[in-house]
Amino acid sequence: MTWTERRFARNGAVELAYDQLQEGADGEPLLLVMGLAVSRHWWPGALCSAFADAGFAVARYDQRDAGESTRLPKPTARSNPFAALAAGRGAIYTAEDMADDAVAVMDELGWESAHVFGQSLGGVVAQRVALRHRGRVRTLTSSASLPSDVGRLGAFRHVRLGTLAKFARVKPARDREERIATGLAVARIVASPGYPFDEAEVLERITVDVDTSIADPDAQSRQIGAPWHGPSLAELRVPTLVLHGADDPVLKPSAGRATAAAIRDARLVIQPGVGHDIPRERHAAVAAEVRALADRTARVDDRP
């Protein structure tokens, strides 16, 4: 598995780091959007290869305030991401800006449209891309995500508060060794209880990502606190797949059910034993679901 060299797309003053999997580059465009304040390297390599094997040209990018993309100025006082979710604190950019970032990456790739797959907060962003840029999204896959139009306080109905307490105890790392330990601790918190924890694979991803850090509460607050002023999910008309782990330790399955219920004709797949990640044993099945969604959409588009 080989990725292109890191490149940058631009949305105004924000630069967005991205790369593309060289294997399968002639397939159908698939843009991957990762979750809260973590980099593109948190996508499992084997999952990306499974997407390529399923006929997709895979690209991934770092959202603003994550990875190698532009970091916005820090507030004078440290922010709490969970307070930001409840009250909208730290909103120095909008959710529309984050949706536009994804389209800026597509533009740089030369993609007029793409299938879009978002994980966790990335699923929320992907939903908003489909709402704001309807002609640019062929299909939408929202995995382990909240409904993008849920109210701030309403979001907590779907959140497992005990897990939030675990995240709150994760301290910002001061050096490389602590950053690796922090990344591993977070990966264990979100892991799938029904599948083996692949520590070697996780450490490989964390080591690549370690210098951009994971535990940045300021960046988390800005991302999660970015307000959305756009339409509701009831207006979404993009073919949609909603994936959610039955044993997600971060978001209850009710989040996936609510997302699917809000989107016309969305397919909901609740995955037994799966947490807030996508374990290796599920990679082929997830890629097959995305492939089937793309094929169903193509058949509908080809009807006379």
Side-chain angles (χ1 to χ4, degrees), residues 51-141:
F51 285 137
D53 290 342
F56 294 105
V58 180
R60 58 187 186 175
Y61 75 101
D62 294 335
Q63 295 201 63
R64 59 176 62 203
D65 266 329
E68 297 172 285
S69 293
T70 297
R71 301 298 182 102
L72 280 296
K74 291 187 176 182
T76 54
R78 181 167 294 280
S79 300
N80 181 301
F82 309 118
L85 175 60
R89 290 204 322 233
I92 64 173
Y93 48 79
T94 68
E96 285 87 342
D97 293 327
M98 297 176 72
D100 293 348
D101 289 344
V103 172
V105 174
M106 290 169 57
D107 288 343
E108 195 67 25
L109 286 161
W111 291 354
E112 293 185 4
S113 63
H115 305 280
V116 180
F117 187 120
Q119 176 73 14
S120 191
L121 180 68
V124 175
V125 173
Q127 294 168 38
R128 291 167 173 167
V129 174
L131 284 164
R132 183 168 168 83
H133 300 280
R134 303 183 185 203
R136 305 297 299 270
V137 178
R138 301 184 188 184
T139 66
L140 163 67
T141 301

Coordinates of all heavy atoms in Angstrom, one line a residue, residues 51-141:
F51 N -11.1 -0.7 0.3 CA -11.8 0.2 -0.5 C -11.3 0.2 -1.9 O -12.0 0.1 -2.9 CB -11.8 1.6 0.0 CG -12.7 1.8 1.2 CD1 -12.2 2.6 2.3 CD2 -14.0 1.4 1.3 CE1 -13.1 2.8 3.4 CE2 -14.8 1.6 2.3 CZ -14.4 2.3 3.4
A52 N -9.9 0.2 -2.0 CA -9.3 0.1 -3.4 C -9.6 -1.2 -4.1 O -10.0 -1.2 -5.3 CB -7.8 0.3 -3.2
D53 N -9.6 -2.3 -3.4 CA -10.0 -3.6 -4.0 C -11.4 -3.6 -4.4 O -11.8 -4.4 -5.3 CB -9.7 -4.7 -3.0 CG -8.2 -4.9 -2.7 OD1 -7.4 -4.5 -3.5 OD2 -7.9 -5.6 -1.6
A54 N -12.3 -2.8 -3.8 CA -13.7 -2.7 -4.2 C -13.9 -1.8 -5.3 O -15.1 -1.6 -5.7 CB -14.5 -2.3 -2.9
G55 N -12.9 -1.2 -5.9 CA -13.0 -0.3 -7.0 C -13.0 1.1 -6.8 O -13.5 1.9 -7.7
F56 N -12.5 1.6 -5.7 CA -12.5 3.0 -5.3 C -11.1 3.6 -5.4 O -10.1 2.9 -5.1 CB -13.1 3.2 -3.9 CG -14.5 2.9 -3.8 CD1 -14.9 1.7 -3.2 CD2 -15.5 3.7 -4.4 CE1 -16.3 1.4 -3.0 CE2 -16.9 3.4 -4.3 CZ -17.2 2.2 -3.6
A57 N -11.0 4.9 -5.9 CA -9.8 5.7 -5.8 C -9.9 6.4 -4.4 O -10.8 7.3 -4.3 CB -9.7 6.6 -6.9
V58 N -9.0 6.1 -3.5 CA -9.2 6.5 -2.1 C -8.3 7.8 -1.9 O -7.1 7.7 -2.1 CB -8.8 5.4 -1.2 CG1 -8.9 5.9 0.3 CG2 -9.6 4.2 -1.4
A59 N -8.9 8.8 -1.3 CA -8.1 10.0 -0.8 C -8.6 10.3 0.6 O -9.7 10.0 1.0 CB -8.3 11.2 -1.7
R60 N -7.7 10.8 1.4 CA -8.0 11.2 2.8 C -7.3 12.5 3.0 O -6.3 12.9 2.4 CB -7.4 10.1 3.7 CG -5.9 9.9 3.6 CD -5.3 8.8 4.4 NE -3.8 8.8 4.2 CZ -3.0 8.0 4.9 NH1 -3.4 7.1 5.7 NH2 -1.7 8.2 4.7
Y61 N -7.9 13.3 4.0 CA -7.3 14.6 4.3 C -7.4 14.9 5.8 O -8.2 14.2 6.5 CB -8.0 15.7 3.5 CG -9.4 16.1 3.9 CD1 -9.6 17.2 4.7 CD2 -10.5 15.3 3.6 CE1 -10.8 17.6 5.1 CE2 -11.8 15.7 4.0 CZ -11.9 16.8 4.8 OH -13.2 17.2 5.2
D62 N -6.6 15.8 6.2 CA -6.7 16.3 7.6 C -7.6 17.5 7.6 O -7.4 18.5 6.9 CB -5.3 16.8 8.1 CG -4.3 15.7 8.2 OD1 -4.7 14.5 8.3 OD2 -3.1 16.0 8.1
Q63 N -8.6 17.4 8.5 CA -9.5 18.6 8.6 C -8.7 19.7 9.3 O -7.7 19.6 9.9 CB -10.7 18.2 9.6 CG -11.6 17.2 8.9 CD -13.0 17.2 9.6 OE1 -13.7 18.2 9.5 NE2 -13.4 16.1 10.2
R64 N -9.2 20.9 9.1 CA -8.6 22.1 9.7 C -8.5 21.8 11.2 O -9.4 21.1 11.8 CB -9.4 23.4 9.5 CG -10.9 23.3 10.0 CD -11.6 24.6 9.8 NE -11.6 25.0 8.4 CZ -11.8 26.3 8.0 NH1 -11.9 27.3 8.9 NH2 -11.9 26.6 6.7
D65 N -7.4 22.3 11.9 CA -7.2 22.0 13.3 C -6.8 20.6 13.6 O -7.0 20.1 14.7 CB -8.4 22.4 14.1 CG -8.3 23.9 14.7 OD1 -7.1 24.3 14.9 OD2 -9.3 24.5 14.8
A66 N -6.4 19.8 12.6 CA -5.9 18.5 12.8 C -4.8 18.1 11.9 O -4.6 18.7 10.8 CB -7.1 17.5 12.5
G67 N -4.0 17.2 12.3 CA -2.9 16.7 11.5 C -2.0 17.8 11.0 O -1.5 18.7 11.8
E68 N -1.7 17.8 9.7 CA -0.8 18.7 9.1 C -1.5 19.9 8.4 O -0.9 20.7 7.8 CB 0.1 18.0 8.0 CG 1.0 16.9 8.6 CD 1.7 16.1 7.6 OE1 1.0 15.3 6.9 OE2 2.9 16.4 7.4
S69 N -2.8 20.0 8.6 CA -3.6 21.1 8.1 C -3.4 22.3 9.0 O -2.9 22.2 10.1 CB -5.0 20.8 7.9 OG -5.2 19.8 6.9
T70 N -3.9 23.5 8.6 CA -3.8 24.7 9.3 C -4.4 24.6 10.7 O -5.5 24.1 10.9 CB -4.4 25.9 8.6 OG1 -3.8 26.0 7.3 CG2 -4.4 27.2 9.4
R71 N -3.6 25.0 11.7 CA -4.2 25.1 13.1 C -4.6 26.6 13.3 O -3.8 27.5 13.1 CB -3.1 24.7 14.1 CG -2.6 23.3 13.9 CD -3.7 22.2 14.1 NE -3.2 20.9 14.0 CZ -3.0 20.1 15.0 NH1 -3.2 20.5 16.3 NH2 -2.6 18.8 14.8
L72 N -5.8 26.7 13.8 CA -6.3 28.1 14.1 C -5.7 28.6 15.4 O -5.3 27.8 16.3 CB -7.8 28.1 14.1 CG -8.5 28.1 12.7 CD1 -8.2 29.4 12.0 CD2 -8.1 26.9 11.9
P73 N -5.7 29.9 15.6 CA -5.2 30.5 16.8 C -5.8 29.9 18.1 O -7.1 29.8 18.1 CB -5.4 32.0 16.7 CG -5.6 32.2 15.2 CD -6.2 31.0 14.7
K74 N -5.0 29.7 19.1 CA -5.6 29.2 20.4 C -6.3 30.3 21.1 O -5.8 31.5 21.1 CB -4.5 28.6 21.2 CG -3.9 27.3 20.7 CD -2.9 26.7 21.7 CE -2.4 25.4 21.2 NZ -1.5 24.7 22.1
P75 N -7.3 30.0 21.9 CA -8.0 31.0 22.7 C -7.1 31.3 23.9 O -6.2 30.6 24.2 CB -9.3 30.3 23.2 CG -8.9 28.8 23.1 CD -8.0 28.7 22.0
T76 N -7.4 32.5 24.5 CA -6.6 32.9 25.7 C -6.8 31.9 26.9 O -5.9 31.7 27.6 CB -6.9 34.3 26.1 OG1 -8.4 34.4 26.3 CG2 -6.6 35.3 25.0
A77 N -8.0 31.3 27.0 CA -8.2 30.4 28.0 C -8.5 29.0 27.4 O -9.1 28.9 26.3 CB -9.4 30.8 28.9
R78 N -8.0 28.0 28.1 CA -8.1 26.6 27.5 C -9.6 26.2 27.4 O -10.4 26.5 28.3 CB -7.4 25.6 28.4 CG -7.5 24.2 27.9 CD -6.5 23.3 28.6 NE -5.1 23.7 28.2 CZ -4.5 23.3 27.1 NH1 -5.2 22.6 26.2 NH2 -3.3 23.7 26.9
S79 N -10.0 25.6 26.3 CA -11.4 25.2 26.1 C -11.6 23.8 26.5 O -10.7 23.0 26.5 CB -11.7 25.4 24.6 OG -11.5 26.7 24.2
N80 N -12.8 23.5 26.8 CA -13.3 22.1 27.1 C -14.2 21.7 26.0 O -15.2 22.3 25.7 CB -14.0 22.1 28.4 CG -14.5 20.7 28.8 OD1 -15.2 20.1 28.0 ND2 -14.1 20.2 29.9
P81 N -13.8 20.6 25.2 CA -14.6 20.3 24.0 C -16.0 19.9 24.3 O -16.9 20.1 23.5 CB -13.8 19.1 23.4 CG -12.9 18.6 24.5 CD -12.6 19.8 25.4
F82 N -16.3 19.4 25.5 CA -17.6 18.9 25.8 C -18.5 20.1 26.2 O -19.7 20.2 25.9 CB -17.6 17.9 26.9 CG -16.7 16.8 26.6 CD1 -15.6 16.5 27.4 CD2 -16.8 16.0 25.5 CE1 -14.7 15.5 27.1 CE2 -15.9 15.0 25.1 CZ -14.9 14.8 25.9
A83 N -17.9 21.1 26.8 CA -18.6 22.4 27.0 C -18.9 23.1 25.7 O -19.9 23.7 25.5 CB -17.8 23.3 28.0
A84 N -17.9 23.0 24.8 CA -18.1 23.6 23.5 C -19.3 22.9 22.7 O -20.0 23.6 22.0 CB -16.8 23.4 22.6
L85 N -19.4 21.6 22.9 CA -20.5 20.9 22.3 C -21.9 21.4 22.8 O -22.8 21.6 22.1 CB -20.4 19.4 22.5 CG -21.6 18.5 22.0 CD1 -21.7 18.6 20.5 CD2 -21.3 17.0 22.4
A86 N -21.9 21.6 24.1 CA -23.2 22.0 24.7 C -23.5 23.5 24.5 O -24.7 23.8 24.3 CB -23.1 21.8 26.3
A87 N -22.4 24.3 24.4 CA -22.7 25.8 24.4 C -22.2 26.5 23.2 O -22.4 27.7 23.0 CB -22.1 26.4 25.7
G88 N -21.5 25.8 22.3 CA -21.0 26.5 21.1 C -19.8 27.3 21.4 O -19.5 28.2 20.6
R89 N -19.1 27.1 22.5 CA -17.9 27.9 22.7 C -16.8 27.5 21.8 O -16.7 26.4 21.3 CB -17.4 27.7 24.2 CG -18.4 28.2 25.2 CD -17.7 28.5 26.5 NE -16.7 27.5 26.8 CZ -16.7 26.9 28.0 NH1 -17.6 27.1 28.9 NH2 -15.7 26.0 28.3
G90 N -15.9 28.5 21.5 CA -14.8 28.2 20.7 C -15.1 28.3 19.2 O -14.3 27.8 18.4
A91 N -16.3 28.9 18.8 CA -16.7 28.8 17.4 C -16.0 30.0 16.6 O -16.6 31.1 16.5 CB -18.2 28.9 17.3
I92 N -14.8 29.8 16.2 CA -14.1 30.8 15.4 C -14.3 30.6 13.9 O -13.8 31.3 13.1 CB -12.7 31.0 15.8 CG1 -11.9 29.7 15.5 CG2 -12.5 31.3 17.3 CD1 -10.4 29.9 15.7
Y93 N -14.9 29.4 13.6 CA -15.2 29.2 12.2 C -16.5 28.4 12.2 O -17.0 27.9 13.3 CB -14.2 28.4 11.4 CG -13.5 27.2 12.1 CD1 -14.2 26.0 12.1 CD2 -12.3 27.3 12.7 CE1 -13.7 24.9 12.7 CE2 -11.7 26.2 13.3 CZ -12.4 25.0 13.3 OH -11.9 23.9 14.0
T94 N -17.1 28.2 11.1 CA -18.4 27.5 11.0 C -18.3 26.1 10.5 O -17.3 25.7 9.9 CB -19.4 28.3 10.1 OG1 -19.0 28.2 8.8 CG2 -19.5 29.7 10.5
A95 N -19.4 25.3 10.7 CA -19.5 24.0 10.1 C -19.5 24.1 8.6 O -19.1 23.2 7.9 CB -20.7 23.3 10.7
E96 N -20.1 25.2 8.1 CA -20.0 25.4 6.6 C -18.6 25.5 6.1 O -18.3 24.9 5.0 CB -20.8 26.6 6.2 CG -22.3 26.5 6.3 CD -22.9 26.8 7.7 OE1 -22.1 26.8 8.7 OE2 -24.1 27.0 7.8
D97 N -17.7 26.1 6.9 CA -16.3 26.2 6.5 C -15.7 24.8 6.4 O -14.9 24.5 5.5 CB -15.5 27.0 7.5 CG -15.9 28.5 7.5 OD1 -16.2 29.0 6.4 OD2 -15.9 29.1 8.6
M98 N -16.0 23.9 7.4 CA -15.5 22.6 7.4 C -16.0 21.8 6.2 O -15.3 21.0 5.6 CB -15.8 21.9 8.7 CG -15.2 22.6 9.9 SD -15.7 21.9 11.5 CE -14.8 20.4 11.5
A99 N -17.3 22.0 5.9 CA -17.8 21.3 4.7 C -17.1 21.8 3.4 O -16.8 21.0 2.5 CB -19.3 21.5 4.6
D100 N -16.9 23.0 3.3 CA -16.2 23.6 2.2 C -14.7 23.1 2.1 O -14.2 23.0 1.0 CB -16.2 25.1 2.2 CG -17.6 25.7 2.1 OD1 -18.5 25.0 1.7 OD2 -17.8 26.9 2.4
D101 N -14.1 22.8 3.2 CA -12.8 22.2 3.2 C -12.7 20.9 2.4 O -11.8 20.7 1.6 CB -12.3 21.9 4.6 CG -12.0 23.2 5.4 OD1 -11.9 24.3 4.8 OD2 -11.9 23.1 6.6
A102 N -13.7 20.1 2.6 CA -13.8 18.8 1.9 C -13.9 19.0 0.4 O -13.2 18.3 -0.4 CB -15.0 18.0 2.4
V103 N -14.7 20.0 0.0 CA -14.9 20.3 -1.4 C -13.6 20.9 -2.0 O -13.2 20.6 -3.2 CB -16.1 21.2 -1.7 CG1 -16.2 21.6 -3.1 CG2 -17.4 20.4 -1.3
A104 N -12.9 21.7 -1.2 CA -11.6 22.2 -1.7 C -10.6 21.1 -2.0 O -9.8 21.1 -3.0 CB -11.0 23.1 -0.6
V105 N -10.6 20.0 -1.2 CA -9.7 18.9 -1.4 C -10.2 18.2 -2.7 O -9.3 17.8 -3.6 CB -9.8 17.9 -0.2 CG1 -9.0 16.6 -0.6 CG2 -9.2 18.6 1.0
M106 N -11.5 18.0 -2.9 CA -12.0 17.4 -4.1 C -11.6 18.2 -5.4 O -11.2 17.6 -6.4 CB -13.5 17.3 -4.1 CG -14.0 16.2 -3.1 SD -15.8 16.3 -2.8 CE -16.4 16.0 -4.4
D107 N -11.7 19.5 -5.2 CA -11.2 20.4 -6.4 C -9.8 20.2 -6.7 O -9.4 20.1 -7.9 CB -11.5 21.8 -6.0 CG -12.9 22.2 -6.0 OD1 -13.8 21.5 -6.6 OD2 -13.3 23.3 -5.4
E108 N -8.9 20.1 -5.7 CA -7.5 19.9 -5.9 C -7.2 18.5 -6.5 O -6.3 18.4 -7.3 CB -6.7 20.1 -4.6 CG -5.3 20.3 -4.7 CD -4.9 21.6 -5.4 OE1 -5.7 22.6 -5.3 OE2 -3.8 21.7 -5.9
L109 N -8.0 17.6 -6.2 CA -7.9 16.2 -6.8 C -8.4 16.1 -8.2 O -8.2 15.2 -8.9 CB -8.6 15.2 -5.9 CG -7.9 14.8 -4.6 CD1 -8.9 14.2 -3.6 CD2 -6.7 13.9 -4.8
G110 N -9.2 17.2 -8.6 CA -9.8 17.2 -9.9 C -11.0 16.3 -10.0 O -11.4 15.9 -11.1
W111 N -11.7 16.1 -8.8 CA -12.9 15.3 -8.7 C -14.1 16.2 -8.8 O -14.3 17.1 -7.9 CB -12.9 14.5 -7.4 CG -11.9 13.4 -7.3 CD1 -11.1 13.0 -8.3 CD2 -11.7 12.7 -6.2 NE1 -10.3 12.0 -7.8 CE2 -10.6 11.7 -6.5 CE3 -12.2 12.6 -4.9 CZ2 -10.1 10.8 -5.6 CZ3 -11.7 11.7 -4.0 CH2 -10.7 10.8 -4.3
E112 N -14.9 16.1 -9.8 CA -16.2 16.8 -9.9 C -17.2 16.3 -8.9 O -18.0 17.1 -8.4 CB -16.8 16.7 -11.3 CG -16.0 17.4 -12.4 CD -16.7 17.4 -13.7 OE1 -17.8 16.9 -13.8 OE2 -16.1 17.8 -14.7
S113 N -17.1 15.1 -8.5 CA -18.0 14.5 -7.5 C -17.3 13.3 -6.9 O -16.3 12.8 -7.5 CB -19.3 14.1 -8.1 OG -19.2 13.0 -9.0
A114 N -17.7 12.8 -5.8 CA -17.1 11.7 -5.1 C -18.1 11.0 -4.2 O -19.0 11.6 -3.7 CB -15.8 12.1 -4.3
H115 N -17.8 9.7 -3.9 CA -18.4 9.1 -2.7 C -17.7 9.6 -1.5 O -16.5 9.8 -1.5 CB -18.3 7.6 -2.8 CG -18.8 7.0 -4.1 ND1 -20.1 6.8 -4.3 CD2 -18.1 6.6 -5.3 CE1 -20.3 6.3 -5.6 NE2 -19.1 6.2 -6.1
V116 N -18.5 9.9 -0.4 CA -17.9 10.5 0.8 C -18.2 9.6 2.0 O -19.3 9.3 2.2 CB -18.4 11.9 1.0 CG1 -17.7 12.5 2.3 CG2 -18.1 12.8 -0.2
F117 N -17.1 9.2 2.7 CA -17.3 8.4 3.9 C -16.7 9.1 5.1 O -15.5 9.5 5.1 CB -16.5 7.1 3.6 CG -16.6 6.0 4.7 CD1 -17.1 4.8 4.4 CD2 -16.3 6.2 6.0 CE1 -17.3 3.8 5.3 CE2 -16.4 5.2 7.0 CZ -16.9 4.0 6.6
G118 N -17.5 9.3 6.1 CA -17.1 10.1 7.3 C -17.2 9.2 8.5 O -18.2 8.5 8.7
Q119 N -16.2 9.3 9.4 CA -16.1 8.5 10.6 C -16.2 9.4 11.8 O -15.5 10.4 11.9 CB -14.8 7.7 10.7 CG -14.6 6.9 12.0 CD -15.5 5.7 12.1 OE1 -16.1 5.3 11.2 NE2 -15.6 5.1 13.3
S120 N -17.2 9.2 12.7 CA -17.3 10.0 14.0 C -17.7 11.4 13.6 O -18.6 11.6 12.8 CB -16.1 9.9 14.8 OG -16.3 10.4 16.1
L121 N -16.9 12.4 14.1 CA -17.2 13.8 13.6 C -17.1 13.9 12.1 O -17.8 14.7 11.5 CB -16.3 14.8 14.3 CG -16.5 16.2 14.0 CD1 -17.8 16.8 14.5 CD2 -15.3 17.1 14.4
G122 N -16.2 13.1 11.5 CA -16.1 13.1 10.1 C -17.5 12.7 9.4 O -17.7 13.2 8.3
G123 N -18.2 11.9 10.1 CA -19.6 11.6 9.5 C -20.5 12.8 9.5 O -21.3 13.0 8.6
V124 N -20.4 13.5 10.6 CA -21.2 14.8 10.7 C -20.8 15.7 9.6 O -21.7 16.3 8.9 CB -21.1 15.4 12.1 CG1 -21.8 16.7 12.1 CG2 -21.6 14.5 13.2
V125 N -19.5 15.9 9.4 CA -19.0 16.8 8.3 C -19.5 16.2 7.0 O -19.9 17.0 6.1 CB -17.5 16.9 8.4 CG1 -16.9 17.6 7.2 CG2 -17.0 17.6 9.7
A126 N -19.4 14.9 6.7 CA -19.8 14.3 5.5 C -21.3 14.6 5.2 O -21.7 14.9 4.1 CB -19.5 12.8 5.5
Q127 N -22.1 14.5 6.2 CA -23.5 14.8 6.0 C -23.7 16.2 5.6 O -24.5 16.5 4.7 CB -24.3 14.6 7.4 CG -24.3 13.1 7.9 CD -24.8 13.0 9.3 OE1 -25.7 13.8 9.7 NE2 -24.2 12.1 10.1
R128 N -22.9 17.1 6.2 CA -23.1 18.5 5.8 C -22.5 18.8 4.4 O -23.0 19.7 3.8 CB -22.4 19.4 6.9 CG -23.2 19.3 8.2 CD -22.4 19.9 9.4 NE -23.2 19.9 10.6 CZ -22.8 20.1 11.8 NH1 -21.5 20.3 12.0 NH2 -23.6 20.2 12.9
V129 N -21.5 18.1 4.0 CA -21.0 18.3 2.7 C -22.1 17.9 1.7 O -22.4 18.6 0.7 CB -19.8 17.4 2.4 CG1 -19.3 17.5 1.0 CG2 -18.6 17.9 3.3
A130 N -22.8 16.8 2.0 CA -23.9 16.3 1.1 C -25.1 17.3 1.1 O -25.7 17.5 0.0 CB -24.4 15.0 1.5
L131 N -25.3 18.0 2.2 CA -26.4 19.0 2.2 C -26.0 20.3 1.5 O -26.8 20.9 0.9 CB -26.8 19.3 3.7 CG -27.6 18.2 4.4 CD1 -27.5 18.4 5.9 CD2 -29.0 18.2 3.9
R132 N -24.8 20.7 1.7 CA -24.3 22.0 1.2 C -23.9 22.0 -0.2 O -24.0 22.9 -1.0 CB -23.2 22.5 2.1 CG -22.7 23.9 1.8 CD -21.8 24.4 2.9 NE -21.0 25.6 2.6 CZ -21.5 26.8 2.6 NH1 -22.8 27.1 3.0 NH2 -20.7 27.9 2.3
H133 N -23.3 20.8 -0.7 CA -22.8 20.7 -2.0 C -23.4 19.4 -2.6 O -22.7 18.4 -2.9 CB -21.2 20.5 -1.9 CG -20.6 21.7 -1.3 ND1 -20.3 22.9 -2.0 CD2 -20.1 21.9 0.0 CE1 -19.7 23.8 -1.2 NE2 -19.6 23.2 0.0
R134 N -24.7 19.5 -2.9 CA -25.4 18.2 -3.2 C -24.9 17.6 -4.5 O -24.9 16.4 -4.6 CB -26.9 18.6 -3.4 CG -27.4 19.2 -2.1 CD -28.9 19.5 -2.1 NE -29.3 20.2 -0.9 CZ -30.5 20.2 -0.4 NH1 -31.5 19.5 -1.0 NH2 -30.8 20.8 0.7
G135 N -24.5 18.4 -5.5 CA -24.1 17.8 -6.8 C -22.7 17.2 -6.7 O -22.3 16.5 -7.7
R136 N -22.0 17.4 -5.6 CA -20.6 16.9 -5.5 C -20.5 15.6 -4.8 O -19.4 15.0 -4.9 CB -19.7 18.0 -4.7 CG -19.7 19.4 -5.3 CD -19.1 19.5 -6.6 NE -17.8 19.1 -6.7 CZ -16.7 19.9 -6.5 NH1 -16.9 21.1 -6.2 NH2 -15.5 19.4 -6.7
V137 N -21.6 15.1 -4.2 CA -21.5 13.9 -3.4 C -22.4 12.8 -4.1 O -23.6 13.0 -4.3 CB -22.1 14.1 -2.0 CG1 -22.1 12.8 -1.2 CG2 -21.2 15.2 -1.3
R138 N -21.7 11.7 -4.6 CA -22.4 10.6 -5.2 C -23.2 9.8 -4.2 O -24.4 9.5 -4.5 CB -21.4 9.8 -6.0 CG -20.6 10.5 -7.1 CD -19.7 9.5 -7.8 NE -18.8 10.3 -8.7 CZ -18.0 9.7 -9.5 NH1 -17.9 8.3 -9.6 NH2 -17.1 10.4 -10.3
T139 N -22.5 9.4 -3.2 CA -23.1 8.7 -2.1 C -22.5 9.1 -0.8 O -21.4 9.7 -0.8 CB -22.9 7.1 -2.2 OG1 -21.6 6.8 -2.0 CG2 -23.5 6.6 -3.5
L140 N -23.2 8.9 0.3 CA -22.8 9.3 1.6 C -22.7 8.1 2.5 O -23.7 7.4 2.6 CB -23.7 10.4 2.2 CG -23.6 10.6 3.7 CD1 -22.3 11.3 4.1 CD2 -24.8 11.5 4.2
T141 N -21.6 7.9 3.2 CA -21.6 6.9 4.3 C -21.2 7.6 5.6 O -20.2 8.3 5.7 CB -20.6 5.8 4.0 OG1 -20.9 5.1 2.8 CG2 -20.6 4.8 5.1

